[in-house]
Amino acid sequence: MSAPRKWLYVTGVLVLCAWVLVPIYLIGLGAMGGRMAVFKWPKSLAPTEASFTALAAFLKIEGVWNAALNSLIAASLTMLFSILLGAPAGYALARFSFRGQSAFRLLVLLTRAFPLAILALPLTVIFIKVGLYDTPLGVSLIHTALALPFAALVTSSLFMGIPREYEEAAWVFGCTRWQAFRKVVLPLALPGIAAAAIFAFVISWNEVFAASVLTVRERTLTAYLLAVLSESPLHYRFAGGFILIVPSVLFIFAVRKYLFAMWGVSSK
Amino acid sequence: MPQPRWLPYLLIAPSVAFLAAFFLVPLGQTILLSFDGGQGLSLANYARMVGDLNFPTALRNTFALVIVVIPLQVALALVMGLMLQKMTRGRELVLWIWTIPLGVSDLAAGLVWLAILQDSGYLNTLLFQFGLISGPTAYLNSETPIALFFAVVLAEVWRATAIVLIILVAGIQLIPKEFGEAADIFGASPWTKFRKITLPLLKPSLQSALILRTVLAFEVFAVVYALGGRNFPIIVGEAYTWQNENQNYGVAAAYAVLVMAISLAATVIYLKALRVDPEAQA
């Protein structure tokens, strides 16, 4: 590359990095600054008066802790359900050819062509009847419907990446199918499965619409923020937004190695 | 080892049962609910939906967002993907930074841009320092629908380009290096290489990215609420209002069916328009 072109290229990369990072930094400032900073004019771009007291004050508001806890429970359950249900399906897709396989694949792919969160609307009626309405468990069920197809496709690509011969070798040495799976395949697949699980967690942690429709008192953090959005002061909104973002950034860091493996195959 | 024929069925049974219960059944129910007129089937809910004051605005706003946001995202993601392809040092770090928004909730993304675009926010501070405005200025209310529209576009492009990027980069990685090398030997320009090699071979990835993003874009909701409240009606926002505030599940369901019909139509259009021949997909 010639010097001016190289310069242009490096600048482009840096500008795009700033495009992602600067807004997060700014909401961080908004969240840390508290009430005074929100109305300050003109604003300073340096963290002159940043403190955690504003964030701590946000967490003390009635209902915020409970909402954060509900989000945590719903997201953990979603993670558990989508892996427990999705991983066996992924293994079946990767290792067996069976009648109905393409129908199953179609079912999984079909879920992607639908705005699934919208399906929470009729579920309110059923959930009220069976006592699942307004519980983190109820929320996690619809979130699992969002994350499960993804978990099945991702784990299937993981299992396909582990040579069948490893398993066959274990059988030769007298392992049963289950033992071979547990001792040979599972340890190799585990990091990828963990990445898929974290992804399911993030899907649930971030989801707004279904959580808002399915809860009233036991809101998740997103549903809580949406409900109080119009009447809460700006600095509370920024604190809420910032608290929503922090775990997601860490999660994406944790799964960064697997992002492509996951999407590369599941996008076919 | 002989395969028991029932084993794969046992393995997929739990997820089939789950998707039947939480995808197919509610899907059917939404449709039924939308045609439920109290006594028997009727189009009353649809009539109320279409007759609602906010309906034409919501429809127009949602489509306008999709039409503006998606091409921007695909173009930006392509540029980013090609930049990554060239990168030798620091690729991992840049990739991580660029994919951070993937983990950011649409609600949080709306709030992020609210911090920047609110009356006394950072954008106005910047404009003030350049002497372009004299004091805090409002962009995000019902009197400034166009500014509000672009605020939503900014937030959506910021938040959801990462998913397009990941799908495209995964696709770029699948393109054999030899193709580019061969093109170099024949003296192809970078632009020709992009048009004749990269773009055609990226078709399957582009198709997936477009389908996924379009479906999600028609669902846009929390970003808009965080930025403009009810000042910028959109389809899913109307469904939420009818369900939660008006407690009218029938009209909410009609909106849901509308969103699903549009998503499905968009999917079919992409599948037809970007037909991928089976060999390229392997």
Side-chain angles (χ1 to χ4, degrees):
Chain A
M1 248 186 284
S2 61
R5 276 190 67 179
K6 178 145 196 167
W7 189 85
L8 191 73
Y9 169 76
V10 172
T11 316
V13 170
L14 291 179
V15 165
L16 285 168
C17 286
W19 155 250
V20 170
L21 291 177
V22 170
I24 294 179
Y25 169 74
L26 293 179
I27 197 179
L29 279 189
M32 308 272 189
R35 197 173 50 214
M36 301 311 288
V38 166
F39 299 108
K40 190 168 172 277
W41 175 264
K43 290 212 168 0
S44 64
L45 293 175
T48 44
E49 57 220 313
S51 74
F52 286 95
T53 44
L55 275 180
F58 173 76
L59 287 172
K60 284 207 190 85
I61 305 170
E62 202 177 331
V64 172
W65 260 122
N66 190 42
L69 193 66
N70 283 335
S71 270
L72 206 64
I73 297 171
S76 305
L77 288 173
T78 303
M79 180 168 95
L80 197 70
F81 294 154
S82 45
I83 294 303
L84 284 182
L85 298 170
Y91 184 75
L93 285 177
R95 282 291 191 269
F96 299 94
S97 55
F98 55 94
R99 271 176 72 111
Q101 188 168 24
S102 48
F104 178 68
R105 262 184 197 280
L106 186 71
L107 175 69
V108 169
L109 290 175
L110 202 60
T111 56
R112 284 220 321 226
F114 276 96
L116 274 181
I118 288 277
L119 297 180
L121 295 173
L123 286 176
T124 42
V125 185
I126 305 170
F127 279 13
I128 289 171
K129 274 191 206 141
V130 297
L132 279 171
Y133 184 72
D134 209 13
T135 60
L137 176 63
V139 173
S140 75
L141 288 173
I142 185 85
H143 286 175
T144 303
L146 283 166
L148 171 64
F150 177 76
L153 291 175
V154 166
T155 49
S156 111
S157 79
L158 276 171
F159 290 128
M160 269 187 223
I162 298 169
R164 194 188 290 262
E165 289 74 23
Y166 290 9
E167 253 173 298
E168 284 165 358
W171 301 344
V172 171
F173 288 111
C175 283
T176 63
R177 186 175 266 282
W178 168 241
Q179 282 173 328
F181 176 78
R182 218 180 35 164
K183 293 192 175 151
V184 178
V185 179
L186 199 57
L188 290 170
L190 216 48
I193 291 177
I198 291 175
F199 223 78
F201 187 98
V202 172
I203 288 176
S204 168
W205 176 264
N206 284 341
E207 203 282 328
V208 187
F209 185 86
S212 299
V213 169
L214 290 176
T215 56
V216 180
R217 287 149 49 119
E218 296 300 320
R219 296 223 183 261
T220 64
L221 195 54
T222 50
Y224 173 84
L225 279 172
L226 189 82
V228 302
L229 208 57
S230 50
E231 61 255 34
S232 56
L234 277 175
H235 61 285
Y236 281 164
R237 298 187 216 176
F238 299 153
F242 187 65
I243 286 175
L244 270 180
I245 289 179
V246 172
S248 325
V249 171
L250 297 176
F251 287 142
I252 294 297
F253 185 72
V255 301
R256 68 196 183 285
K257 282 207 180 92
Y258 293 92
L259 282 176
F260 296 103
M262 296 204 293
W263 284 101
V265 180
S266 69
S267 72
K268 274 186 194 165
Chain B
M1 191 173 289
Q3 295 185 358
R5 285 187 48 190
W6 46 265
L7 187 56
Y9 296 105
L10 184 73
L11 292 171
I12 63 164
S15 46
V16 171
F18 190 92
L19 288 178
F22 291 97
F23 169 52
L24 297 177
V25 169
L27 182 66
Q29 277 182 320
T30 307
I31 296 168
L32 275 180
L33 199 60
S34 72
F35 287 108
D36 185 1
Q39 299 113 353
L41 298 179
S42 86
L43 288 171
N45 292 322
Y46 288 93
R48 252 186 112 172
M49 171 178 86
V50 176
D52 186 57
L53 197 64
N54 277 337
F55 177 77
T57 331
L59 203 62
R60 200 187 57 217
N61 285 346
T62 309
F63 270 93
L65 273 176
V66 172
I67 289 167
V68 173
V69 167
I70 289 182
L72 273 175
Q73 284 181 328
V74 172
L76 187 62
L78 264 177
V79 169
M80 289 165 125
L82 294 175
M83 280 177 155
L84 282 169
Q85 204 186 8
K86 284 215 170 87
M87 206 170 288
T88 42
R89 270 182 313 142
R91 189 172 183 275
E92 294 280 299
L93 179 69
V94 170
L95 198 55
W96 174 56
I97 292 174
W98 286 357
T99 48
I100 283 175
L102 188 67
V104 173
S105 148
D106 41 354
L107 180 60
L111 292 168
V112 164
W113 286 89
L114 182 68
I116 297 170
L117 301 173
Q118 56 124 334
D119 306 0
S120 62
Y122 294 97
L123 176 71
N124 276 341
T125 296
L126 207 65
L127 293 178
F128 176 72
Q129 272 152 5
F130 283 119
L132 292 169
I133 53 171
S134 54
T137 313
Y139 304 111
L140 303 174
N141 55 42
S142 48
E143 274 116 65
T144 53
I146 293 177
L148 187 52
F149 174 79
F150 282 105
V152 177
V153 168
L154 265 177
E156 274 291 278
V157 170
W158 181 79
R159 178 186 72 86
T161 302
I163 187 66
V164 185
L165 173 70
I166 286 186
I167 296 174
L168 292 189
V169 169
I172 289 175
Q173 284 175 346
L174 294 176
I175 298 174
K177 287 229 166 25
E178 292 77 19
F179 287 15
E181 286 161 11
D184 282 335
I185 293 171
F186 289 107
S189 70
W191 174 240
T192 315
K193 270 202 291 187
F194 173 73
R195 247 174 359 117
K196 298 276 181 193
I197 299 173
T198 313
L199 215 48
L201 288 172
L202 264 185
K203 240 176 165 186
S205 304
L206 272 172
Q207 194 182 51
S208 312
L210 282 170
I211 291 173
L212 194 67
R213 264 308 299 154
T214 308
V215 169
L216 293 174
F218 278 113
E219 249 184 300
V220 64
F221 169 57
V223 172
V224 177
Y225 260 44
L227 280 167
R230 300 282 309 281
N231 292 331
F232 190 79
I234 29 127
I235 304 178
V236 172
E238 292 305 303
Y240 177 78
T241 311
W242 279 97
Q243 171 102 356
N244 272 33
E245 274 155 48
N246 308 352
Q247 297 283 323
N248 189 327
Y249 293 14
V251 180
Y255 270 105
V257 171
L258 177 69
V259 176
M260 292 191 289
I262 297 171
S263 298
L264 211 57
T267 306
V268 171
I269 290 171
Y270 284 133
L271 288 176
K272 287 241 186 286
L274 289 169
R275 199 189 301 267
V276 177
D277 65 84
E279 266 172 52
Q281 211 167 15

